[in-house]
């Protein structure tokens, strides 16, 4: 009987052997005990991270925001792709919540609703104070992790619960500032693509520069461009080829360099598929225009 009331995880063996048990935390929640003096420089953060500080004091520098203090009972958002510096002044206990994308349609709607508040705030990279029930939420996660509750479903539920509490207990202005790097990327998505997607880059290359998953990227891309990333990229190459072909003296080799295609037969197939002619015919066409 005492075993039932000892406030510890029951049926540990069954839990650890479950197929949903996460040995390595690649996403979800992890408990960190970080000693004073720890310092780390991070380049191109792999995933989005929310840090919940339960004890201690540390500093984070991100973009123009230098040595932003992180204190007890506060949390802060670090976006995927960020370059930052992290220094611990006092022994720190923190929960790291790692994720790539939002899990529910409600959370996606939250981002969309924040977009109208972008112009009402001046973004400041700063921690947010925990309010109840956020403190109790963090206590539950800490205790569960200490008891080795590492089920995939546990992490997914706590993921959704966090964004639920954001919606319930924080203002839209607070949420917009907190999630600004994600909201801002969505608003500037089209311009970001036009400025950064160069010939030779794959879909994965451009996604690596943005704080979103591949499925979210493809869905957002369709919303802005009304076509697939592949179709848009093919048109990008065709536009660059056309811009080069109009200049007198341009050779097939010049066009291949623009398209970054080194195989002549492959480039010939590309032109037939996209221009309905051979590279030579394309050059002859623009040569006659100049004549």
């Amino acid at each position: 009987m005492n075993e039932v009331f000892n406030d510890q995880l029951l049926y540990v063996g069954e839990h650890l052997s479950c197929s949903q048990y996460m040995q390595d935390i690649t996403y979800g929640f992890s408990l960190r005990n970080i000693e004073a003096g720890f310092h780390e420089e991070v380049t191109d953060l792999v995933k989005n991270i929310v840090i919940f500080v339960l004890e201690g004091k540390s500093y984070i520098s991100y973009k123009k925001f230098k040595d932003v203090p992180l204190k007890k009972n506060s949390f802060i958002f670090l976006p995927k792709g960020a370059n930052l510096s992290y220094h611990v002044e006092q022994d720190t206990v923190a929960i790291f919540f790692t994720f790539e994308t939002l899990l529910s349609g409600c959370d996606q709607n939250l981002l969309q609703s924040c977009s109208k508040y972008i112009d009402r705030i001046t973004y400041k990279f700063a921690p947010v104070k925990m309010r109840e029930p956020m403190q109790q939420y963090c206590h539950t996660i800490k205790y569960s992790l200490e008891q080795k509750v590492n089920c995939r479903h546990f992490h997914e539920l706590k993921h959704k619960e966090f964004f639920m509490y954001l919606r319930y207990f924080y203002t839209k202005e607070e949420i917009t500032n907190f999630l600004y790097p994600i909201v801002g990327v969505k608003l500037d998505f089209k311009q970001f693509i036009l400025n950064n997607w160069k010939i030779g880059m794959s879909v994965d290359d451009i996604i690596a520069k943005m704080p979103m998953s591949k499925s979210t990227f493809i869905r957002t891309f369709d919303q802005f461009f009304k076509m697939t990333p592949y179709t848009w990229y093919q048109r990008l190459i065709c536009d660059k080829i056309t811009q080069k072909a109009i200049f007198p003296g341009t050779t097939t080799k010049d066009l291949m360099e623009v398209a970054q295609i080194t195989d002549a037969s492959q480039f010939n197939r590309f032109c037939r598929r996209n221009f309905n002619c051979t590279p030579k015919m394309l050059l002859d066409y623009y040569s006659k225009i100049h004549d």
Side-chain angles (χ1 to χ4, degrees):
M1 182 66 71
N2 291 336
E3 182 179 326
V4 178
F5 296 98
N6 63 8
D7 294 331
Q8 293 184 1
L9 181 67
L10 302 179
Y11 314 112
V12 175
E14 181 179 312
H15 179 62
L16 296 179
S17 63
C18 176
S19 62
Q20 298 298 320
Y21 184 80
M22 298 170 63
Q23 295 285 352
D24 299 313
I25 304 299
T26 55
Y27 76 89
F29 299 83
S30 59
L31 183 62
R32 310 283 179 91
N33 292 281
I34 312 171
E35 295 183 352
F38 176 83
H39 180 83
E40 185 174 11
E41 300 285 338
V42 178
T43 301
D44 197 13
L45 193 65
V46 177
K47 293 182 176 68
N48 300 304
I49 296 178
V50 177
I51 300 178
F52 302 91
V53 182
L54 308 183
E55 299 287 346
K57 184 178 181 181
S58 55
Y59 294 90
I60 289 186
S61 295
Y62 168 62
K63 291 189 174 181
K64 66 179 181 179
F65 304 97
K66 305 299 181 184
D67 296 326
V68 175
L70 292 181
K71 300 179 181 179
K72 179 179 179 180
N73 293 332
S74 67
F75 57 98
I76 198 165
F77 175 61
L78 309 177
K80 177 182 176 182
N83 298 324
L84 53 91
S85 173
Y86 179 57
H87 177 74
V88 178
E89 182 178 275
Q90 300 173 358
D91 288 352
T92 293
V93 178
I95 295 171
F96 280 52
F97 167 32
T98 304
F99 67 99
E100 285 201 13
T101 187
L102 306 183
L103 295 182
S104 73
C106 290
D107 298 338
Q108 297 290 348
N109 291 335
L110 174 64
L111 280 188
Q112 292 180 7
S113 68
C114 286
S115 63
K116 65 182 71 173
Y117 291 86
I118 283 287
D119 295 333
R120 305 182 191 180
I121 69 169
T122 299
Y123 174 59
K124 183 179 181 181
F125 178 70
V128 179
K129 184 178 179 179
M130 290 186 195
R131 299 176 189 147
E132 288 296 1
M134 198 68 83
Q135 290 185 17
Q136 187 61 39
Y137 163 81
C138 288
H139 174 76
T140 302
I141 293 176
K142 177 178 180 290
Y143 183 79
S144 298
L145 293 176
E146 289 174 337
Q147 297 298 316
K148 301 187 185 303
V149 176
N150 238 2
C151 172
R152 187 179 309 277
H153 303 304
F154 167 79
H155 289 272
E156 291 177 354
L157 286 171
K158 290 302 178 184
H159 177 143
K160 294 177 181 178
E161 188 177 352
F162 170 67
F163 286 100
M164 181 179 68
Y165 289 149
L166 274 185
R167 293 197 304 274
Y168 291 169
F169 300 104
Y170 292 85
T171 68
K172 289 291 179 61
E173 289 83 359
E174 288 175 314
I175 299 171
T176 301
N177 187 78
F178 177 68
L179 296 175
Y180 186 90
I182 293 180
V183 178
V185 165
K186 282 187 170 293
L187 290 178
D188 298 333
F189 183 88
K190 187 171 185 177
Q191 195 59 49
F192 183 90
I193 294 296
L194 296 175
N195 291 341
N196 292 277
W197 199 346
K198 310 298 183 184
I199 292 178
M201 295 176 64
S202 67
V203 172
D204 290 336
D205 290 335
I206 194 68
I207 291 175
K209 296 178 176 290
M210 309 184 78
M212 60 179 64
S213 68
K214 190 169 186 176
S215 59
T216 301
F217 173 84
I218 292 174
R219 184 169 58 251
T220 306
F221 197 99
D222 179 69
Q223 292 173 358
F224 279 93
F225 292 95
K226 307 304 179 185
M227 66 182 75
T228 66
Y230 174 82
T231 300
W232 184 88
Y233 182 68
Q234 295 299 300
R235 292 187 180 184
L236 173 66
I237 297 176
C238 291
D239 288 343
K240 297 297 183 182
I241 289 174
T242 301
Q243 292 170 19
K244 186 68 175 178
I246 63 175
F247 288 100
T250 300
T251 65
T252 297
K253 184 178 179 181
D254 294 332
L255 300 184
M256 291 175 63
E257 289 178 355
V258 168
Q260 294 195 17
I261 298 176
T262 57
D263 183 76
S265 59
Q266 180 184 349
F267 185 64
N268 188 67
R269 290 194 298 271
F270 178 89
C271 288
R272 286 186 176 279
R273 183 172 62 250
N274 291 280
F275 294 102
N276 200 30
C277 66
T278 66
K280 184 178 183 307
M281 293 167 64
L282 183 66
L283 290 170
D284 288 343
Y285 170 78
Y286 284 105
S287 177
K288 290 176 182 178
I289 292 178
H290 286 294
D291 293 341

